[in-house]
Amino acid sequence: MARIAERDYGGASLDETVVRLAFEHESFMALACLSDDELQEYQDEQRGLAEAGMSAPE
């Protein structure tokens, strides 16, 4: 866990690392539940944000 905190999160605390990993896990699980049409819509939206130079809110 400490290695992930240092390498991936710039030395974040272990508590913060757990919070971030849990959020990432829940996000991936939510994406896995999308239908093909919903996933395509999500990808299109993300692509549009990237092309506009915007990021999704945290």
Side-chain angles (χ1 to χ4, degrees), residues 26-52:
E26 292 296 322
S27 298
F28 288 131
M29 293 301 295
L31 288 173
C33 293
L34 295 177
S35 69
D36 289 343
D37 290 339
E38 291 170 326
L39 184 57
Q40 185 62 54
E41 182 178 327
Y42 173 79
Q43 290 172 329
D44 292 344
E45 181 180 333
Q46 294 303 306
R47 191 174 301 108
L49 289 172
E51 290 171 357

